[in-house]
């Protein structure tokens, strides 16, 4: 019998790639999404779609009675700036919504593995030089990062105390087709649209600030690897079942802008604007644990990934993208 996966947030950017990946492996896919930022056009063909909010009793019932082998939990409020403006809104979705799902997993009594989409980019802070290993100290600079870290503590608790099967994947800045300008790698979407508009790219500060850009297809592979691994460490401390998912490469905003100009074939000027308060100076993730335990490594280079992403935005605007 086909294995079953519930992808919360499966109509969104990363979730739709995750749903596609499981479907391609022959799994039965159910998507739970309230379409707050996701789109029905992103849904994996053949997937069952349940339009609901993760905070509702109906969502809990779906999880409790669904008998899912795996839940990839991606549904979240993803806008870091919104979390700063309204931490209660963020925590209601990102902490309480996740607890609603986890309590339902516990109540189901079913042997479900929960793969949680956490963040590396917004978790480690600026105190230690990158690349950050999983064991680095966590000093989130935003309510969004605090909520992700809180959920990770809950997952470790569910693992230790209730013997639930949980994994946290800490992503770098994820980019790729279908991405949203509000996410952690929103700059890629913004730059693609600017190039297509023939407008200058705005870089805040001197453009030397770095991030770890990881391609959405690689992140989908990481979800599948985490969902199917038989080599996960025993639940234990916070980091025991946490994996960084990135490239380990620090890419500056200047390099991002010039690489995008190269692959798009357009000569787009860069405008420099004052640095934004609270932005990390440097960020990259150390990913040897994911390689050793999950057998996962990223396969898509920045140039190839940006080329695919730029093509997607160009097609989208001409009405050709799916
Ligand atoms: P996205 O906004 O495209 O996807 C989120 C999806 O969840 C959307 O389809 C949205 O409609 C749905 N959703 C939001 N709130 C919901 C709710 N309360 N109930 C049901 N559905 C809801 O964002 P994304 O970039 O694909 O992010 C997916 C996950 O990955 C999130 O958990 C995010 O925090 C995490 N993440 C993303 C990045 C990144 O660079 N994009 C980095 C680290 C972690």
């Amino acid at each position: 019998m086909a294995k079953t996966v519930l992808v919360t947030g499966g109509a969104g950017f990363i979730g739709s790639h995750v749903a596609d990946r499981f479907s391609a492996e022959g799994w039965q896919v159910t998507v739970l999404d309230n379409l707050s930022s996701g789109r029905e056009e992103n849904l994996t063909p053949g997937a069952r779609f349940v339009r609901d909010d993760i905070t509702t009793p109906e969502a809990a019932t779906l999880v409790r009675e669904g008998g899912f082998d795996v839940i990839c939990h991606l549904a979240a409020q993803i806008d870091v700036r919104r979390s700063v403006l309204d931490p209660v809104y963020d925590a209601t979705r990102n902490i309480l919504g996740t607890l609603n799902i986890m309590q339902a997993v516990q109540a189901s009594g079913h042997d479900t593995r929960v793969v949680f989409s956490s963040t590396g980019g917004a978790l480690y802070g600026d105190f230690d030089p990158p690349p950050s290993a999983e064991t680095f100290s966590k000093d989130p600079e935003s309510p969004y990062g605090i909520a992700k870290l809180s959920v990770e503590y809950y997952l470790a608790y569910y693992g230790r105390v209730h013997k639930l099967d949980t994994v946290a994947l800490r992503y770098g800045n994820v980019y790729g087709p279908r991405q949203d300008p509000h996410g952690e790698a929103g700059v890629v979407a913004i730059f693609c649209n600017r190039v297509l508009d023939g407008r200058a790219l705005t870089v805040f500060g001197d453009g030397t600030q770095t991030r770890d850009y990881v391609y959405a297809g690689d992140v989908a592979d990481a979800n599948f690897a985490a969902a199917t691994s038989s080599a996960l460490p025993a639940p234990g401390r916070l980091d025991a079942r946490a994996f960084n998912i990135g490239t380990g490469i620090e890419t500056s905003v200047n390099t991002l802008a010039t690489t995008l100009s190269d692959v798009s074939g357009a000569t787009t000027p860069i405008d420099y604007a004052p640095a934004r308060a609270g932005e990390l100076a440097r960020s990259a993730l150390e990913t040897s644990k994911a390689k050793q335990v999950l057998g996962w490594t990223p396969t898509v280079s920045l140039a190839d990934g940006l080329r695919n992403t730029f093509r997607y935005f160009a097609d989208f605007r001409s009405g050709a993208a799916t």
Side-chain angles (χ1 to χ4, degrees):
M1 217 166 69
K3 292 207 157 221
T4 58
V5 61
L6 174 68
V7 183
T8 75
F13 160 45
I14 305 170
S16 61
H17 289 281
V18 171
D20 287 350
R21 181 70 168 83
F22 280 84
S23 178
E25 297 286 342
W27 288 48
Q28 265 174 31
V29 178
T30 301
V31 167
L32 171 66
D33 200 299
N34 67 0
L35 298 184
S36 55
S37 61
R39 302 183 314 130
E40 269 183 273
E41 303 88 280
N42 288 347
L43 288 170
T44 300
R48 172 184 171 214
F49 176 47
V50 179
R51 182 174 181 172
D52 216 330
D53 195 289
I54 53 167
T55 59
T56 61
E58 291 75 18
T61 303
L62 174 72
V63 170
R64 206 173 46 248
E65 297 177 358
F68 298 106
D69 295 309
V70 170
I71 298 177
C72 289
H73 178 40
L74 296 102
Q77 187 302 110
I78 62 152
D79 189 336
V80 174
R81 259 167 261 152
R82 180 159 196 183
S83 81
V84 173
L85 294 173
D86 194 348
V88 175
Y89 179 88
D90 182 83
T92 305
R93 273 98 199 141
N94 291 3
I95 301 179
L96 298 184
T98 303
L99 286 181
N100 190 40
I101 301 293
M102 291 308 300
Q103 284 295 101
V105 171
Q106 190 190 341
S108 75
H110 193 81
D111 188 12
T112 301
R113 176 170 293 175
V114 178
V115 181
F116 172 60
S117 285
S118 187
T119 174
L123 207 67
Y124 296 114
D126 236 351
F127 291 96
D128 300 307
S132 309
E134 286 83 355
T135 49
F136 270 35
S137 67
K138 283 87 188 160
D139 295 288
E141 299 282 354
S142 64
Y144 168 84
I146 294 168
K148 291 288 186 187
L149 181 57
S150 306
V151 167
E152 286 204 30
Y153 274 111
Y154 277 111
L155 295 184
Y157 146 80
Y158 279 110
R160 282 194 309 268
V161 177
H162 298 294
K163 311 298 174 216
L164 300 191
D165 188 2
T166 67
V167 190
L169 301 181
R170 297 177 184 158
Y171 307 150
N173 291 53
V174 188
Y175 72 101
R178 305 178 199 149
Q179 84 169 86
D180 186 296
H182 299 295
E184 287 172 65
V187 63
V188 175
I190 293 165
F191 278 6
C192 285
N193 281 317
R194 288 249 169 178
V195 171
L196 288 164
D197 287 337
R199 294 167 67 202
L201 307 181
T202 304
V203 169
F204 295 97
D206 65 3
T208 57
Q209 64 273 38
T210 61
R211 297 290 180 269
D212 186 335
Y213 294 96
V214 60
Y215 190 65
D218 283 331
V219 173
D221 287 349
N223 272 266
F224 191 74
T228 52
S229 170
S230 53
L232 292 182
R237 303 184 70 169
L238 176 71
D239 300 323
R241 282 189 163 208
F243 298 89
N244 285 338
I245 301 298
T247 62
I249 300 169
E250 282 186 75
T251 300
S252 71
V253 183
N254 288 329
T255 301
L256 186 73
T258 50
T259 310
L260 182 62
S261 288
D262 287 350
V263 301
S264 67
T267 320
T268 310
I270 299 176
D271 277 350
Y272 287 90
R276 289 191 295 199
E279 254 202 297
L280 290 187
R282 297 175 62 193
S283 174
L285 303 175
E286 210 279 315
T287 59
S288 56
K289 186 178 174 191
K291 183 175 183 181
Q292 276 160 20
V293 179
L294 305 178
W296 175 88
T297 45
T299 59
V300 179
S301 70
L302 184 68
D304 286 346
L306 284 179
R307 194 173 291 112
N308 294 345
T309 309
F310 181 75
R311 195 177 304 133
Y312 165 80
F313 279 100
D315 288 350
F316 187 77
R317 289 162 59 126
S318 67
T322 53

